[in-house]
């Protein structure tokens, strides 16, 4: 089930050690680990121990395509996550490094060479509590020479992904940090497929935002007895800066992905006026449910699928509007159920109702013309086994499908489905819907029950050598069934009936 994509394989073979401003370096580590350079084992200062942040991906549960036409949609967190390990270097090391081996990215900048004079100018400087709603063109321009040297041998889509990730990181680092910042290594791993419409970039932006805000000591908690209003303030702060990171990557993001990755659970969102941000309502009582996520491996274009619905709306406006309104009604019905005072997520009828609504939503999307034979094949296999309810998620035309598993689905039937999906070259992920948002492991030490030696320290070597998504989850898992003891989350409750 590991995601050994062609992009990852090709780029990792090309990787060498981190470079400063594009200067070359010799490959580091064994031949099998080229692209995952081993860190120099410098222990973190006791005052600045290594720590980790993590944030989930997301799926659209109800309302895709209708949301493009001003209707309400619902998105929820999934337990596939990104992880960031922050290691502080000794005082003599005046560099920052960004390492993301899953996409073959490794780059190092000299801290003192960065454009601090521009970012810290009184007319440009932003404080951690400021709300930034647009990128400053002057700051973007002054960063450019420091981005041009990132992955000089990468081309095409690989180059674009590397540049976007580096741009997001550097803009946040220069906005929140200072020239006196200690040298650090920021190492990213992700169990989310990149570019699959699952919010991977937002998940990473949330990890970076939370880590930098923790480093400048502007976040409180998380801790169990933290007042809800205080926890909510911390989440807002993380979310605001994660949105800045998303702007560096996407230009004009909706803000939905980073909001889900920050707060977890689920959100309702609606955007009637595209000149304004969407209305986003957190659903803190969204249930945590077992989910099977299946990637068709069929390339798709969001723009093409959106254009299909637009063309249908133009040729058959009344019928199309009725289908879009019906999709919104599906979303609203699910919302009404979740917020009802007698809502019980353990009641089998809850899964039955939410699953039936998924089936209805998918049928309407098929009628809009945005499904694909590979998506319909997944539905056919799930329906044949009688183990859940399936719909496409996102733009359609390929991409991914989600299956809400029935509470009584037998292990034998599930295994039969898994085997069939593997035979037909689908990529599957067993995950959880509606889990936690951004989390912190401080320090980066995991303790098992009965540990007497203080637990296991997660260093760069262990983190980089974890094999694939399963290896990362086994080592540091913060979500779903793999959740390790030690992770802490900002949690904000919500009253039923609101």
């Amino acid at each position: 089930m590991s995601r050994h994509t062609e992009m990852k394989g090709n780029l990792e073979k090309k990787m060498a050690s981190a470079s400063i401003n594009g200067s070359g370096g010799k490959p580091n580590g064994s031949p099998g680990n080229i692209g995952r350079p081993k860190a120099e084992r410098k222990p973190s200062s006791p005052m600045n121990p290594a720590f980790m942040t993590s944030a989930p991906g997301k799926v659209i549960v109800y309302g895709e395509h209708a949301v493009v036409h001003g209707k309400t949609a619902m998105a929820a967190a999934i337990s596939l996550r990104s992880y960031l390990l922050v290691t502080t270097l000794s005082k003599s090391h005046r560099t920052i490094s960004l390492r993301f081996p899953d996409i073959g990215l490794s780059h190092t900048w000299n801290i003192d060479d960065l454009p601090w004079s521009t970012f810290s100018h009184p007319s440009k400087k932003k404080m951690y509590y400021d709300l930034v709603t647009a990128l400053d063109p002057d700051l973007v321009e002054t960063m450019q020479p420091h981005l041009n040297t990132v992955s000089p041998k990468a081309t095409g889509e690989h180059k674009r992904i590397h540049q976007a990730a580096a741009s997001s990181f550097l803009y946040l680092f220069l906005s929140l940090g200072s020239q006196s910042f200690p040298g650090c290594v920021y190492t990213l791993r992700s169990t989310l497929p990149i570019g699959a419409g699952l919010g991977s970039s937002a998940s990473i932006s949330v990890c970076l935002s939370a880590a930098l805000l923790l480093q400048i000591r502007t976040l409180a908690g998380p801790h169990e007895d933290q007042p809800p209003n205080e926890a909510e303030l911390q989440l807002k702060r993380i979310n605001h800066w994660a949105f800045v990171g998303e702007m560096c990557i996407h230009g004009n993001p909706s803000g939905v992905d980073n909001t889900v990755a920050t707060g977890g659970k689920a959100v309702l969102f609606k955007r009637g006026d595209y000149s304004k941000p969407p209305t986003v309502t957190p659903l803190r009582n969204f249930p945590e449910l077992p989910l099977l996520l299946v990637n068709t491996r069929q390339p798709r274009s969001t723009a093409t699928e959106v254009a299909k619905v637009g063309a249908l709306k133009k040729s058959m406006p009344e019928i199309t509007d009725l289908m879009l309104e019906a999709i919104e009604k599906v979303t609203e019905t699910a919302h009404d159920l979740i917020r009802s005072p007698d809502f019980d997520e353990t009641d089998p009828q809850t899964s039955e109702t939410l699953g039936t609504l998924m089936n209805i939503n998918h049928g309407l999307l098929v009628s809009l013309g945005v499904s694909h034979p590979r998506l319909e094949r997944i539905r056919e296999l799930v329906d044949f086994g009688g183990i859940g309810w399936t719909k496409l998620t996102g733009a359609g035309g390929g991409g991914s499908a989600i299956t809400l598993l029935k509470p009584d689905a037998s292990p034998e039937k599930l295994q039969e489905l898994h085997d069939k999906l593997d035979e037909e070259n689908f990529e599957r992920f067993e995950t959880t819907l509606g889990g936690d948002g951004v989390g912190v492991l401080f320090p980066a030490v995991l303790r098992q029950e009965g540990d007497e030696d203080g637990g296991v320290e997660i260093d760069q070597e262990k983190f980089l050598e974890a094999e694939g998504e399963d290896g990362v989850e086994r080592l540091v898992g913060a979500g779903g069934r793999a959740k390790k003891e030690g992770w802490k989350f900002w949690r904000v409750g919500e009253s039923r009936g609101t």
Side-chain angles (χ1 to χ4, degrees):
M1 201 162 63
S2 293
R3 177 172 29 88
H4 297 296
T5 60
E6 182 180 355
M7 175 183 75
K8 178 176 172 180
N10 290 343
L11 287 176
E12 285 194 353
K13 289 175 184 176
K14 295 179 182 178
M15 288 277 296
S17 64
S19 60
I20 296 179
N21 295 338
S23 60
K26 295 179 181 180
N28 198 353
S30 65
N33 283 329
I34 292 178
R36 293 188 178 182
K38 286 192 176 182
E40 294 180 39
R41 301 287 304 275
K42 305 181 196 68
S44 297
S45 162
M47 295 298 291
N48 294 291
F51 70 94
M52 297 188 72
T53 58
S54 177
K58 73 93 180 64
V59 293
I60 297 180
V61 188
Y62 306 106
E64 48 269 75
H65 285 286
V67 73
V68 177
H69 298 275
K71 310 298 183 185
T72 304
M74 185 184 295
I78 54 176
S79 58
L80 302 178
R81 304 175 68 94
S82 297
Y83 297 88
L84 173 66
L85 173 66
V86 181
T87 309
T88 302
L89 303 177
S90 61
K91 289 184 179 180
S92 61
H93 287 79
R94 299 290 300 146
T95 60
I96 52 165
S97 297
L98 177 63
R99 293 180 173 177
F100 194 175
D102 298 318
I103 62 169
L105 171 61
S106 182
H107 193 80
T108 297
W109 294 269
N110 188 316
I111 293 174
D112 296 319
D113 290 343
L114 295 173
W116 295 109
S117 59
T118 306
F119 271 81
S120 61
H121 191 276
S123 65
K124 302 291 183 184
K125 179 63 179 175
K126 298 295 182 184
M127 304 304 293
Y128 68 89
Y129 47 76
D130 287 331
L131 177 61
V132 179
T133 57
L135 300 179
D136 186 316
D138 294 334
L139 300 183
V140 173
E141 183 179 357
T142 197
M143 276 200 323
Q144 201 54 50
H146 304 276
L147 296 173
N148 290 340
T149 55
V150 173
S151 302
K153 294 183 180 179
T155 59
E157 184 68 2
H158 301 160
K159 179 79 169 180
R160 187 195 67 77
I161 292 172
H162 286 202
Q163 291 278 312
S167 173
S168 177
F169 167 72
L170 208 54
Y171 198 100
L172 291 180
F173 181 80
L174 287 164
S175 296
L176 293 169
S178 67
Q179 193 167 354
S180 62
F181 223 69
C184 292
V185 179
Y186 298 85
T187 307
L188 279 159
R189 299 295 304 273
S190 185
T191 63
L192 284 159
I194 305 296
L198 301 176
S200 59
S201 68
S203 174
I204 290 164
S205 292
V206 170
C207 287
L208 291 170
S209 169
L212 290 165
L213 289 166
L214 283 166
Q215 284 188 289
I216 62 174
R217 306 183 194 284
T218 57
L219 291 180
H223 51 83
E224 289 182 4
D225 56 350
Q226 189 166 31
N229 60 337
E230 184 181 278
E232 186 170 11
L233 176 62
Q234 314 312 306
L235 290 173
K236 283 183 177 178
R237 195 165 287 164
I238 294 168
N239 193 28
H240 288 161
W241 283 102
F243 181 70
V244 175
E246 280 282 86
M247 285 193 288
C248 292
I249 297 170
H250 297 296
N252 184 32
S254 69
V256 172
D257 287 9
N258 52 277
T259 300
V260 175
T262 302
K265 301 307 260 181
V267 299
L268 280 182
F269 60 101
K270 185 173 185 174
R271 195 172 196 176
D273 183 351
Y274 269 74
S275 67
K276 298 177 182 178
T279 301
V280 180
T281 306
L283 303 177
R284 303 296 185 194
N285 287 333
F286 191 91
E288 200 161 333
L289 300 166
L291 193 77
L292 180 66
L293 172 68
V294 182
N295 181 5
T296 63
R297 301 185 192 268
Q298 174 65 39
R300 87 281 187 267
S301 163
T302 298
T304 298
E305 302 308 312
V306 169
K308 283 183 186 177
V309 179
L312 186 64
K313 193 172 188 292
K314 187 174 181 179
S315 63
M316 299 182 178
E318 291 185 8
I319 294 173
T320 306
D321 282 342
L322 285 172
M323 287 191 285
L324 296 173
E325 288 168 10
I327 290 174
E328 182 172 49
K329 188 61 179 176
V330 166
T331 305
E332 291 172 347
T333 302
H335 181 219
D336 289 343
L337 172 66
I338 293 165
R339 68 176 183 170
S340 64
D342 56 351
F343 175 70
D344 181 4
E345 64 182 78
T346 64
D347 185 346
Q349 187 59 43
T350 296
S351 294
E352 182 79 30
T353 302
L354 294 174
T356 299
L357 290 170
M358 288 174 65
N359 276 352
I360 294 169
N361 195 163
H362 182 81
L364 291 163
L365 291 168
V366 171
S367 298
L368 289 172
V370 295
S371 190
H372 184 275
R374 292 277 285 174
L375 289 165
E376 295 309 308
R377 178 58 175 159
I378 296 167
R379 275 180 52 83
E380 181 183 8
L381 291 171
V382 173
D383 289 349
F384 181 78
I387 58 176
W389 304 270
T390 300
K391 66 177 285 291
L392 68 84
T393 183
S400 299
I402 54 174
T403 295
L404 178 61
L405 296 172
K406 292 184 176 180
D408 60 353
S410 72
E412 294 77 18
K413 288 286 187 181
L414 278 171
Q415 189 57 55
E416 287 177 18
L417 174 63
H418 292 172
D419 292 344
K420 196 65 179 174
L421 290 169
D422 292 346
E423 282 177 24
E424 299 189 21
N425 196 34
F426 290 103
E427 184 180 32
R428 58 183 172 83
F429 302 87
E430 294 178 70
T431 182
T432 303
L433 189 67
D436 283 310
V438 61
V440 178
L441 182 65
F442 192 101
V445 176
L446 290 169
R447 293 175 174 82
Q448 302 294 335
E449 189 174 346
D451 268 350
E452 296 180 0
D453 58 357
V456 177
E457 181 180 355
I458 307 301
D459 58 20
Q460 287 187 68
E461 185 173 5
K462 289 189 184 76
F463 196 43
L464 288 168
E465 289 182 351
E467 284 292 330
E469 301 88 3
D470 289 345
V472 172
E473 288 293 348
R474 282 195 299 270
L475 180 67
V476 296
R481 291 173 296 178
K483 188 180 294 184
K484 304 291 185 182
E485 187 177 344
W487 284 99
K488 295 181 179 179
F489 304 89
W490 287 275
R491 292 188 173 120
V492 182
E494 178 181 71
S495 299
R496 296 275 162 85
T498 59

